[in-house]
Amino acid sequence: MRLRCVATIALSSLTLLAASPVVPADQPKSASTQPPPVVVSVEQMIKDAGELMDLKRWDHAIELLTLALEIEPKNGMAYANRALSYGWTNRLEEASRDLAAAEKLIPGRAIIHRVRAVIADRRSDEDTELAELSKSLELEPGNPMALRFRAWILHRKGREADALADADAYIRHRPENPDAYALKADLLRAQQRLDLAAEEANRLTELFPGNAYAMAAAARIYSANGDRTRALQLIT
């Protein structure tokens, strides 16, 4: 629900920005009969774009980040986040271009490695993706995206204990996020450890009652265990 609200605010901001001139906060005001310019924080725009990316609203995120770059053309984080959005939508030429700009402006940052990982993912280069996610996690050990995607790569490579360790790290760093518990439950389900997966499903329902994402994740586990009645109770 929180993400939907943020997305609505961000999309409303896009409408306002399109209708009004945009100026940095420190630019002097001038007398005019036109509506006053919208004073925006590029930092907030990047944060809102991140929320849109969480909702997979890539084109809206790109639009917002493009506006941010019009205000601050040398903002490396805006380039890096736009590169991620381009990457996830298979616009790899644009992603690579923005990655190159970000590498010059914010070299060595963890997000650089995540962008490289996304581009590798789109190119089906799993070994490079794993290496870049690992480099990202050396710099930001609790990053949800890196932990989630590395966990599934490790699972596919048969490194089940390491995959679960990433899920546990995700829970440890983001205990308020139901996606962390859902990741562990889904990994255990994929390993056919259904009793342990059910325990994680129970934890989801206890920690996040009424949360639609958590209920859907728990329902997947109950359904896999053959408890379709309980699964339907959670999603209806």
Side-chain angles (χ1 to χ4, degrees), residues 9-182:
I9 292 169
L11 293 173
S12 298
S13 297
L14 285 173
T15 302
L16 287 171
L17 289 167
S20 305
V22 180
V23 298
D26 58 355
Q27 181 170 316
K29 297 179 180 178
S30 59
S32 173
T33 58
Q34 297 295 320
V38 177
V39 180
V40 296
S41 160
V42 168
E43 181 180 357
Q44 185 61 45
M45 291 171 74
I46 294 171
K47 181 179 178 181
D48 287 349
E51 300 283 7
L52 290 168
M53 290 161 66
D54 285 341
L55 292 168
K56 296 181 171 55
R57 295 187 178 183
W58 309 114
D59 288 336
H60 289 307
I62 288 167
E63 187 176 354
L64 192 55
L65 290 163
T66 299
L67 287 170
L69 284 165
E70 289 177 4
I71 299 169
E72 288 187 14
K74 293 187 177 181
N75 190 298
M77 289 300 292
Y79 275 114
N81 279 283
R82 193 171 70 173
L84 281 172
S85 295
Y86 279 136
W88 284 127
T89 51
N90 292 313
R91 287 173 271 186
L92 300 187
E93 183 177 346
E94 292 90 339
S96 297
R97 179 199 65 206
D98 277 3
L99 171 61
E103 287 174 327
K104 292 178 181 178
L105 294 166
I106 51 171
R109 296 287 290 272
I111 194 171
I112 297 294
H113 296 291
R114 291 196 293 277
V115 175
R116 291 175 183 166
V118 169
I119 292 173
D121 177 88
R122 301 291 88 182
R123 291 174 174 160
S124 300
D125 183 354
E126 193 166 79
D127 289 338
T128 297
E129 182 182 3
L130 176 58
E132 293 296 342
L133 290 171
S134 296
K135 290 175 184 176
S136 170
L137 288 166
E138 289 174 5
L139 297 168
E140 290 182 10
N143 183 267
M145 174 203 149
L147 287 167
R148 184 190 314 115
F149 281 90
R150 190 174 73 168
W152 282 112
I153 292 174
L154 293 170
H155 165 71
R156 289 193 293 272
K157 289 182 175 294
R159 296 169 56 181
E160 304 293 8
D162 291 335
L164 288 172
D166 275 0
D168 286 332
Y170 189 177
I171 292 170
R172 185 168 64 253
H173 285 282
R174 300 294 178 92
E176 78 289 352
N177 191 338
D179 183 56
Y181 304 87

Side-chain angles (χ1 to χ4, degrees), residues 192-207:
Q192 295 301 308
R193 301 166 71 180
L194 297 182
D195 289 344
L196 292 176
E199 291 179 10
E200 293 302 321
N202 292 339
R203 186 149 66 141
L204 274 165
T205 61
E206 292 166 2
L207 291 175

